[in-house]
């Protein structure tokens, strides 16, 4: 698409490149939504952020939702050794992957945690580093 409409894709790519962690969250999500619609990969999936933000538990405080998000990452970190020991976690050359789709887990962890901590307006990189520390400690 960039070759056919460079006048359209160029500004969108420039906008996506300008986004930093210090950029306002609403501005970032708007830029990522535009970039995603144009087919440009983004650090945070704006559709997932919107879905998670709209799916908050009624009656719970934002602090409780944040704690649940952190506990979800702890649960995943604790589950990693169990999933790795599963007999279905063997590489299958016919599928060019694992029978239980374990090869997709890293991407899923990054995307879901990025969306969760964007909803809570927290630093994604810090939480992913904590996730690695917890998962390596087990």
């Amino acid at each position: 698409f960039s070759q056919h409409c460079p006048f359209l894709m160029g500004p969108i790519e420039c906008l996506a490149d300008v986004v930093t962690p210090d950029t306002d969250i609403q501005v970032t999500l708007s830029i990522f939504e535009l970039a995603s619609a144009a087919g440009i990969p983004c650090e945070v999936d704006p559709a997932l952020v919107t879905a998670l933000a709209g799916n908050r538990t009624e009656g719970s405080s934002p602090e409780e939702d944040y704690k649940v998000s952190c506990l979800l990452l702890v649960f995943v970190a604790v589950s990693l050794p169990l999933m790795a020991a599963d007999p279905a976690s063997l590489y299958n050359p016919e599928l060019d992957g694992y029978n239980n789709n374990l090869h997709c887990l890293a991407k899923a962890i990054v995307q879901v945690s990025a969306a969760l901590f964007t909803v809570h307006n927290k630093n994604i990189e810090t939480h992913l580093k904590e996730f690695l520390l917890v998962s390596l400690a087990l």
Side-chain angles (χ1 to χ4, degrees), residues 70-83 105 109 130-138:
C70 292
L71 286 173
L72 175 66
L73 278 185
V74 171
F75 172 75
V76 171
V78 169
S79 300
L80 282 177
L82 298 172
M83 288 187 276
L105 192 60
I109 291 169
E130 289 174 1
F131 169 77
L132 287 174
L133 288 173
V134 169
S135 60
L136 293 174
L138 298 174

Side-chain angles (χ1 to χ4, degrees), residues 95-127:
L95 297 175
D96 195 24
Y98 296 85
N99 290 332
N100 61 357
N101 292 330
L102 193 63
H103 56 279
C104 301
L105 192 60
K107 179 87 171 170
I109 291 169
V110 169
Q111 289 294 318
V112 170
S113 61
L116 277 172
F117 294 116
T118 299
V119 168
H120 297 295
N121 203 15
K122 301 292 182 180
N123 189 318
I124 300 164
E125 187 176 337
T126 303
H127 283 86

Side-chain angles (χ1 to χ4, degrees), residues 8-45:
L8 181 64
M9 293 299 289
I12 296 172
E13 290 170 349
C14 286
L15 274 175
D17 291 341
V18 171
V19 173
T20 64
D22 298 330
T23 308
D24 180 53
I25 192 66
Q26 293 304 321
V27 173
T28 301
L29 288 176
S30 297
I31 292 171
F32 282 169
E33 190 171 355
L34 176 66
S36 291
I40 299 170
C42 300
E43 296 172 14
V44 178
D45 183 0

